[in-house]
Amino acid sequence: MPNALEQAKALFVRRWGEMGGYWGINRTMAEIHALLFVTQEPLCTDDFMMQLKISRGNASMNLRALVDWGLIRRTHKLGDRKEYFQADTDIWHMFETILRERRRREIEPILETVEHCREIVSAPKTASQEDIDPEQVRALRRRLDELHSFLTTMGALFDLALHYGSDGMGKLARSLGVANEPRAADRGPTRTERPARKSRRAKPSSTERK
Amino acid sequence: MPNALEQAKALFVRRWGEMGGYWGINRTMAEIHALLFVTQEPLCTDDFMMQLKISRGNASMNLRALVDWGLIRRTHKLGDRKEYFQADTDIWHMFETILRERRRREIEPILETVEHCREIVSAPKTASQEDIDPEQVRALRRRLDELHSFLTTMGALFDLALHYGSDGMGKLARSLGVANEPRAADRGPTRTERPARKSRRAKPSSTERK
DNA sequence: CAATTGTTTCGAGATATTCTGAAATATAAG
DNA sequence: CTTATATTTCAGAATATCTCGAAACAATTG
């Protein structure tokens, strides 16, 4: 019977893994990340293999993907040739990373398509298409416009979130309960840049697109 | 060769379908939804079968799921026994529905787990566990606390978004000086309540969990 | 109630995704 | 250079997910 500490960790790892699916990452990847999150010391590939009961290949693939995402980073121990991994402890930064990725994958492509669709229906009629119901075209265009403006707003809010950082968001949430905040001229040192992510070996990112 | 209108619709349907995966709904479901979104008239099962080239069973399943989600609703035509379906035209309301569902699936479960984990590690030691490193416990608790407060803030922001509605968010984004297109079509008062969803036949929702 | 029309369910098959295990590749040390 | 140690890759196996199609079910009509 594992002690309370281990029990809590295991529970967290399991649940975080299940949630992974909803966040666009697979279970194993999420579990690895969770394990790193609840463990302060850096862990090496063998640790993941044992604790999560996964193969070496699987561990390697998912560790790489996590590094590519920017959610964990490689570290080393003196006199040890193994690579160790460590999760970002800054939750806000973690969230930032995920948010950025999600926007790139969920909002940008559909925005592009909406724009493209608008072009198509806005192009001047050709002779062969004079039978298109102009009412239908107007209706479609209206919907596309609405969607476009909606997505733009959403994108802007993402930017906002990324820009303000955790403190800002907390404040924002609180102040919105009352009135609109007065255009923060004074936000503190908010992190916005990502830490430099260097791949050990140069390699065209393999974890693009699905 | 389809005309511009059809072309635009088809493009949108295809892309929206691809995006579906990221939003936790499968391709077909997303395509059905997209088709309804770009079509003003209500469509019936056969329309979906033809236009999307899917089987009747598939159409039925996914239509039901969409209705359960609250993203589309059933309607009828006078003197016609078929069921027709119609998408919510209010984009904000659509988003609201998705947001609500996502919070329920993505934030709440992990929040619960975090709380549970805290309880586990906070419980008084039993005799058999006196060897747990208290430093480790403290560290874990710290991380859990951070995560907890983060998730709570996020939940609050969701509530805010839901509460304020489209106009509020648009205004907010604008007032915060974010680049944002002028809103198309001024629509009436923002809807906030969901339309009553009645299943034709009583039936325990089959589309729970994944 | 039998016929007609429309909807839902569900097992089997098709697809897509993830994982394993072992071979190939890389890195460091002697 | 050779050996020892670590990491990555990838084809095939294992899983998970989605779709079809047909039978079962329900509602309406005559």
Side-chain angles (χ1 to χ4, degrees):
Chain A
M1 177 64 175
N3 65 38
L5 184 63
E6 295 309 318
Q7 236 180 297
K9 283 186 183 179
L11 173 58
F12 182 82
V13 168
R14 217 178 319 133
R15 179 57 68 100
W16 195 256
E18 286 165 13
M19 287 299 106
Y22 295 127
W23 290 82
I25 65 184
N26 71 40
R27 174 184 303 246
T28 304
M29 207 188 300
E31 284 179 353
I32 291 177
H33 182 251
L35 187 54
L36 278 174
F37 183 79
V38 294
T39 306
Q40 45 208 18
E41 302 90 42
L43 300 177
C44 71
T45 307
D46 299 84
D47 294 326
F48 297 112
M49 290 171 60
M50 290 190 185
Q51 301 209 42
L52 303 177
K53 284 147 176 48
I54 57 176
S55 72
R56 187 171 299 280
N58 195 7
S60 172
M61 295 281 243
N62 284 301
L63 282 167
R64 167 205 289 276
L66 279 168
V67 171
D68 284 349
W69 267 61
L71 286 173
I72 67 175
R73 57 185 188 288
R74 300 176 199 269
T75 56
H76 295 273
K77 283 187 179 172
L78 261 149
D80 191 338
R81 269 169 65 187
K82 278 210 269 310
E83 280 191 317
Y84 288 79
F85 297 87
Q86 210 164 13
D88 210 326
T89 42
D90 180 342
I91 299 204
W92 177 258
H93 183 246
M94 196 175 99
F95 173 68
E96 200 181 301
T97 302
I98 293 173
L99 205 55
R100 208 189 294 276
E101 189 68 13
R102 287 185 95 161
R103 181 175 59 183
R104 189 174 72 73
R105 299 194 306 183
E106 298 180 359
I107 295 193
E108 277 162 21
I110 194 67
L111 202 48
E112 255 174 50
T113 299
V114 169
E115 278 160 11
H116 191 179
C117 288
R118 285 208 297 182
E119 280 167 28
I120 293 178
V121 295
S122 298
K125 292 197 207 21
T126 67
S128 66
Q129 313 197 337
E130 285 179 352
D131 53 340
I132 302 179
D133 180 356
E135 174 49 41
Q136 289 221 346
V137 173
R138 277 205 315 118
L140 177 59
R141 191 142 55 200
R142 187 157 12 92
R143 288 204 180 185
L144 289 177
D145 283 346
E146 274 176 37
L147 184 56
H148 188 271
S149 116
F150 173 77
L151 290 173
T152 306
T153 302
M154 280 301 120
L157 286 175
F158 272 30
D159 278 338
L160 208 68
L162 296 182
H163 181 77
Y164 269 64
S166 57
D167 316 328
M169 286 312 265
K171 252 188 290 183
L172 182 62
R174 250 170 289 123
S175 68
L176 267 177
V178 206
N180 255 353
E181 202 175 10
R183 197 67 177 113
D186 65 323
R187 69 187 146 301
T190 303
R191 302 186 53 194
T192 292
E193 77 304 350
R194 302 168 83 179
R197 284 164 36 199
K198 66 150 207 286
S199 289
R200 206 161 54 121
R201 283 179 267 296
K203 185 197 128 299
S205 166
S206 65
T207 320
E208 287 295 86
R209 298 272 119 223
K210 202 182 203 172
Chain B
M1 175 64 176
N3 64 38
L5 185 63
E6 296 308 320
Q7 236 179 296
K9 284 186 183 181
L11 173 57
F12 182 81
V13 168
R14 217 178 318 135
R15 178 57 68 101
W16 195 256
E18 286 165 11
M19 286 299 105
Y22 294 127
W23 290 81
I25 66 184
N26 71 42
R27 173 184 304 246
T28 303
M29 206 188 301
E31 283 179 354
I32 290 177
H33 182 252
L35 187 55
L36 277 175
F37 182 79
V38 294
T39 306
Q40 46 211 17
E41 301 91 41
L43 300 176
C44 71
T45 307
D46 299 84
D47 293 326
F48 297 112
M49 288 170 61
M50 289 188 186
Q51 299 209 43
L52 302 177
K53 286 151 176 45
I54 58 176
S55 73
R56 187 171 299 281
N58 196 5
S60 172
M61 295 280 243
N62 285 301
L63 281 168
R64 167 205 287 275
L66 280 169
V67 171
D68 283 349
W69 266 65
L71 286 173
I72 68 176
R73 55 184 190 289
R74 298 176 200 270
T75 55
H76 295 275
K77 281 188 181 172
L78 262 149
D80 190 338
R81 270 169 61 188
K82 277 209 273 305
E83 280 192 317
Y84 288 78
F85 297 86
Q86 210 164 14
D88 212 324
T89 41
D90 181 339
I91 298 204
W92 177 258
H93 183 247
M94 194 175 99
F95 174 68
E96 201 180 299
T97 302
I98 293 173
L99 205 56
R100 208 188 295 274
E101 191 69 12
R102 288 186 96 162
R103 180 176 59 181
R104 190 175 71 74
R105 300 194 303 182
E106 298 180 359
I107 295 193
E108 278 163 21
I110 193 67
L111 202 49
E112 255 175 49
T113 300
V114 169
E115 278 160 10
H116 190 179
C117 288
R118 286 206 299 181
E119 280 166 29
I120 294 178
V121 294
S122 297
K125 292 196 204 40
T126 67
S128 65
Q129 313 197 335
E130 284 180 351
D131 53 341
I132 301 178
D133 179 356
E135 174 49 41
Q136 288 221 349
V137 173
R138 279 206 314 118
L140 177 58
R141 192 145 52 201
R142 187 155 13 89
R143 289 205 178 183
L144 289 177
D145 283 346
E146 273 175 39
L147 185 56
H148 188 272
S149 102
F150 173 78
L151 290 173
T152 305
T153 303
M154 281 299 121
L157 285 175
F158 272 31
D159 278 339
L160 254 157
L162 295 180
H163 179 253
Y164 268 64
S166 58
D167 306 329
M169 288 311 265
K171 250 187 289 183
L172 173 62
R174 250 173 291 127
S175 78
L176 284 169
V178 168
N180 182 26
E181 216 145 298
R183 304 188 59 72
D186 220 347
R187 65 180 127 356
T190 306
R191 306 179 52 196
T192 292
E193 78 302 351
R194 301 170 83 178
R197 287 164 33 197
K198 66 149 205 290
S199 290
R200 207 160 55 120
R201 282 179 267 296
K203 185 195 129 298
S205 165
S206 64
T207 320
E208 288 296 85
R209 297 276 117 221
K210 198 183 202 171

